[in-house]
Amino acid sequence: PFSVTEVRAVLGQFDQSNQFEDVRDRLVVELLYALGLRRAELLALGVDDLDFYNDVVRVCGKRNKVRLLPMIKPLKNLLKEYLSLREVLVVDANFKVLIISKHANKVSETFVYRLINKYFSHVSSKEKKSPHMLRHTFATHLLNNGADINAIKELMGHASLSSTQVYAHSSLDQL
């Protein structure tokens, strides 16, 4: 996983920018890290999956398993900023895909992979830099800060505890 320092360094690259692409790129990093999303889950998110009243994000995971994830305040603020910029680009009100290109099209899995690789290449010497690494980082940071492994299992949408324990073992190996 990435270190806290590496994640903060990447997020710091976006400070003070309110350009659509910078806000979108920061949002992609934040959603992957703050919610522990899979790349496919990120790309499947729609505007209607955001519940600002209850501060949750509705995520449809593997096997169509739905989970509600907490929308922390910094993420909520970033989502609102992004939506206001997105609104200017999207002509069709029925187009509900959350993460879009500057041309108001759905982005690809390759786009997300390249985005993560681009930003983390500046701050990390790790050989593999992928969206899944941020999911791994999410779980590891929670575990290292005392979160219950069953709670992490639920947040990640794992069907079994053994899937989550992979993160626990790598965390213990690092310690």
Side-chain angles (χ1 to χ4, degrees):
F2 296 114
S3 69
V4 172
T5 305
E6 290 169 329
V7 174
R8 285 186 181 148
V10 166
L11 294 175
Q13 293 176 41
F14 302 108
D15 286 348
Q16 309 303 319
S17 177
N18 61 357
Q19 298 297 314
F20 172 77
E21 291 176 85
D22 289 337
V23 173
R24 182 217 38 225
D25 292 358
R26 179 182 179 124
L27 180 63
V28 166
V29 174
E30 290 267 12
L31 286 167
L32 291 169
Y33 175 65
L35 300 180
L37 298 182
R38 296 175 180 97
R39 180 173 43 183
E41 293 170 340
L42 170 77
L43 294 175
L45 279 179
V47 174
D48 295 340
D49 293 320
L50 308 174
D51 181 348
F52 290 101
Y53 181 76
N54 293 303
D55 293 336
V56 294
V57 178
R58 182 183 173 275
V59 176
C60 186
K62 286 185 175 180
R63 295 172 294 283
N64 291 323
K65 184 178 177 185
V66 175
R67 63 191 193 277
L68 298 177
L69 298 174
M71 187 189 302
I72 58 175
K73 190 171 183 169
L75 179 59
K76 182 177 183 175
N77 293 339
L78 183 59
L79 280 163
K80 286 182 176 182
E81 180 182 1
Y82 172 76
L83 289 173
S84 68
L85 294 169
R86 180 189 176 280
E87 189 176 79
V88 174
L89 298 175
V90 175
V91 180
D92 180 3
N94 293 319
F95 184 67
K96 298 294 185 177
V97 174
L98 180 63
I99 305 299
I100 61 170
S101 71
K102 65 182 178 183
H103 303 295
N105 298 314
K106 184 175 181 173
V107 299
S108 68
E109 287 191 6
T110 304
F111 170 86
V112 177
Y113 182 85
R114 286 183 182 149
L115 184 149
I116 297 305
N117 208 307
K118 170 186 164 185
Y119 289 107
F120 279 89
S121 289
H122 298 294
V123 301
S124 178
S125 60
K126 290 187 177 24
E127 201 169 305
K128 186 176 181 185
K129 299 170 203 72
S130 68
H132 193 76
M133 283 282 292
L134 281 168
R135 182 171 164 80
H136 207 343
T137 302
F138 164 81
T140 302
H141 290 176
L142 285 173
L143 193 61
N144 289 348
N145 285 288
D148 177 74
I149 195 153
N150 284 306
I152 297 171
K153 171 190 166 288
E154 294 301 317
L155 288 170
M156 296 188 78
H158 286 155
S160 70
L161 191 58
S162 62
S163 299
T164 312
Q165 286 173 329
V166 170
Y167 298 99
H169 291 301
S170 65
S171 183
L172 290 173
D173 289 346
Q174 283 185 333
L175 290 175

